[in-house]
Amino acid sequence: MREIQALEISKAVMELVRRANFSLRPDVLFALRQAYRREKNIRAKKILQALLDNAAYALKENLAICQDTGLPVVFVQIGQDLKIKGDLKLAINKGIAQGYKKYALRNSIVSDPLTRGKPKFAPGIIHIDLVRGDKIKFTLLPKGFGCENKSQLKMFLPTVNIREIKAFIVEVVKNAGPDACPPYVVGIGIGGTADYAGLLAKKALLRPINYQRSAMSKLERELLNKINRLNIGPMGLGGKATALAVNIETYSTHIAGLPVSVNISCHALRSATEIL
Amino acid sequence: MKKNKIVLRLDDFRHLKAGAEIYFSGTLYTARDQAHKRLVDEIKNNKPLALELPGALIYYCGPTRTLKGKIIGACGPTTSARMDAFTPLLLAKGLRGMIGKGDRSKAVKEAIKKYKGIYFVTYAGCGALLSKYVKSVKTVAYGDLGPEKILKLEVENFPLIVAIDSNGGCIYGQD
């Protein structure tokens, strides 16, 4: 049986912290450039240019793309034939804390949600999944909270007309308005339970945006068009680019329900992946 | 972000209209959620204030930590609406203006008009780029709040867009 040491895991997570926070995902950069080319509104164009300049400057200067270096969400896929020597969760949180400290990122995490206290670097949110094989895959998503705050869940009736679901999703984006750093990437989870729909919506943000084919691509395109007619635009000051993409993930659900979760990401959608 | 070299004195703000783009050189104080809660508590309990409010410009910002050799880390604006509940009282106590991102509540808009304040937005999600315009940083208060402490920033040609002007004009439209 293949073995892996906890220390290797911490090191890999540390490196993901650096990559995710300093270099914007290629698909997001591509979408921003495309939005810039398509934009007619002068101010919106200028803001989109600033976003591209910001990404380039962050990379060049080893600066975080955004000061909100997020609540780190880590998705782990463990091959069932892999043996982990040591404490997996501890190793991940150590990697997060050391990485955030080393790269001078922000300590945005309070231990107690009610009493708050002095912000720390960790822990992150860890989702563990077991898969075939003997490898382990880590994806780190530093989730900014300006946009996380605008996320919503609605439990629809199973007999609902899909028009109502579409209207809800568009309404969530409209409600985010200028506040959560548009142009957004809209992650949507449909099905499962209340909590699982939320996880699907978050996972939807990991899928590369634009030019992908998914079972939902027709609905994704339709929603993107509707959202981009809201004229919210970059910084909420008008323009075509209210969202860069809509990604939908679905799962089986119960005969009595239809959970729909919308997870909003700002334009600084950051994530990085490593397989050990 | 081209530079225009417009240096504004505080009295100049009154003439700015919503939508105007300016480059500000001068002093900003960072304050966000917990700092606002404390300032308002200090006012309500008649305690001495950690921040001299009259004439001050507050920037809703909690920067990343500073890498060796740099002046500040990434330092973009955070969502202003979270400070809405605290802002009218701070304006009443002399706060001149705020910088953040996104729209404000009706109560904040009314308070801006009443006290002749001003609300700016700046390039949201451009924390790395905005760090270029910060020339010095000094901790003023609430060190225990970590990234939420109050910092005094000296900035040069910091890009701002007037979002709500002293007459209540708003770039996001009226509600």
Side-chain angles (χ1 to χ4, degrees):
Chain A
M1 203 176 206
R2 186 171 173 248
E3 287 185 354
I4 191 162
Q5 300 289 334
L7 188 65
E8 275 183 76
I9 291 170
S10 295
K11 276 188 189 162
V13 171
M14 242 177 108
E15 176 58 14
L16 290 179
V17 165
R18 188 191 66 78
R19 272 170 52 201
N21 280 292
F22 291 168
S23 60
L24 201 56
R25 269 168 40 176
D27 59 320
V28 177
L29 271 176
F30 183 84
L32 283 172
R33 285 197 194 102
Q34 201 177 40
Y36 174 81
R37 277 198 304 274
R38 285 179 184 164
E39 192 64 70
K40 297 268 191 293
N41 178 316
I42 293 169
R43 175 130 63 194
K45 224 174 163 69
K46 187 175 166 189
I47 297 164
L48 288 166
Q49 183 61 56
L51 303 185
L52 290 164
D53 291 347
N54 182 66
Y57 190 70
L59 192 62
K60 184 174 140 247
E61 296 288 323
N62 281 329
L63 274 165
I65 293 161
C66 176
Q67 72 288 338
D68 186 355
T69 51
L71 180 49
V73 183
V74 186
F75 295 87
V76 192
Q77 285 187 347
I78 309 170
Q80 56 195 13
D81 300 326
L82 177 75
K83 186 169 168 54
I84 296 161
K85 303 275 275 181
D87 188 322
L88 173 67
K89 287 189 180 177
L90 197 69
I92 292 170
N93 282 326
K94 239 184 194 171
I96 290 173
Q98 286 169 349
Y100 270 70
K101 203 167 175 192
K102 179 172 176 189
Y103 300 114
L105 302 174
R106 200 173 74 183
N107 43 328
S108 313
I109 298 162
V110 286
S111 309
D112 188 306
L114 296 176
T115 58
R116 315 298 292 183
K118 187 164 183 171
K120 295 176 180 165
F121 296 105
I125 306 289
I126 304 173
H127 297 291
I128 295 175
D129 202 4
L130 213 54
V131 296
R132 282 168 182 268
D134 64 356
K135 299 267 197 290
I136 187 163
K137 181 178 170 184
F138 298 96
T139 299
L140 183 119
L141 172 87
K143 189 59 167 59
F145 247 64
C147 52
E148 189 69 6
N149 278 337
K150 302 294 179 183
S151 302
Q152 287 189 42
L153 166 77
K154 189 161 180 176
M155 305 301 281
F156 283 95
L157 296 177
T159 51
V160 70
N161 187 308
I162 191 154
R163 277 202 306 270
E164 284 179 49
I165 297 178
K166 290 175 194 166
F168 165 66
I169 292 165
V170 174
E171 196 56 36
V172 173
V173 176
K174 206 173 160 186
N175 180 57
D179 289 2
C181 289
Y184 301 124
V185 177
V186 186
I188 298 166
I190 305 179
T193 48
D195 56 320
Y196 200 72
L199 180 59
L200 288 175
K202 187 69 100 260
K203 275 188 173 170
L205 296 176
L206 300 177
R207 190 149 50 82
I209 60 173
N210 283 355
Y211 293 117
Q212 73 257 9
R213 281 187 172 275
S214 84
M216 289 286 123
S217 46
K218 195 172 160 230
L219 183 57
E220 287 170 350
R221 266 200 310 275
E222 187 189 335
L223 284 165
L224 183 61
N225 288 335
K226 276 189 202 297
I227 288 165
N228 283 338
R229 279 199 294 270
L230 291 173
N231 195 34
I232 293 171
M235 272 176 80
L237 299 178
K240 280 185 181 177
T242 296
L244 298 173
V246 174
N247 277 4
I248 304 175
E249 293 289 328
T250 62
Y251 193 73
S252 316
T253 192
H254 191 275
I255 49 171
L258 208 176
V260 177
S261 175
V262 183
N263 199 272
I264 303 269
S265 172
C266 58
H267 55 73
L269 171 54
R270 295 148 285 174
S271 69
T273 297
E274 181 68 68
I275 300 171
L276 295 178
Chain B
M1 287 189 225
K2 262 190 286 176
K3 286 175 191 174
N4 261 2
K5 287 265 175 196
I6 298 178
V7 180
L8 279 169
R9 293 188 318 273
L10 289 172
D11 345 333
D12 296 337
F13 289 164
R14 196 163 293 199
H15 311 292
L16 293 171
K17 294 262 179 291
E21 295 184 27
I22 63 153
Y23 296 86
F24 175 72
S25 297
T27 307
L28 306 177
Y29 294 92
T30 67
R32 43 175 292 159
D33 307 68
Q34 300 301 334
H36 274 72
K37 202 174 168 188
R38 284 193 189 180
L39 285 170
V40 163
D41 279 349
E42 286 167 1
I43 293 170
K44 286 185 174 163
N45 296 312
N46 290 315
K47 285 189 179 153
L49 276 182
L51 174 65
E52 186 92 8
L53 284 175
L57 268 181
I58 281 183
Y59 180 26
Y60 303 138
C61 172
T64 54
R65 286 167 325 118
T66 310
L67 269 178
K68 232 181 179 169
K70 291 211 162 38
I71 292 166
I72 195 168
C75 56
T78 195
T79 310
S80 308
R82 292 199 314 275
M83 272 50 83
D84 280 354
F86 306 108
T87 299
L89 182 59
L90 299 189
L91 284 166
K93 294 290 173 190
L95 175 66
R96 194 58 200 268
M98 300 77 62
I99 302 165
K101 65 166 162 129
D103 206 357
R104 309 303 305 260
S105 68
K106 208 171 164 214
V108 170
K109 284 172 191 164
E110 278 165 7
I112 288 171
K113 204 173 157 184
K114 182 172 175 191
Y115 299 109
K116 293 288 164 206
I118 192 159
Y119 169 58
F120 298 100
V121 289
T122 187
Y123 288 76
C126 289
L129 209 52
L130 289 172
S131 71
K132 282 201 214 180
Y133 309 105
V134 177
K135 300 303 161 191
S136 77
V137 180
K138 206 178 124 199
T139 299
V140 173
Y142 310 149
D144 61 306
L145 289 178
E148 294 199 71
K149 64 189 166 200
I150 297 183
L151 299 170
K152 182 183 183 182
L153 309 182
E154 296 298 335
V155 301
E156 252 177 58
N157 297 309
F158 197 90
L160 301 175
I161 302 170
V162 180
I164 304 171
D165 62 38
S166 309
N167 296 314
C170 177
I171 200 171
Y172 299 112
Q174 305 298 330
D175 15 42

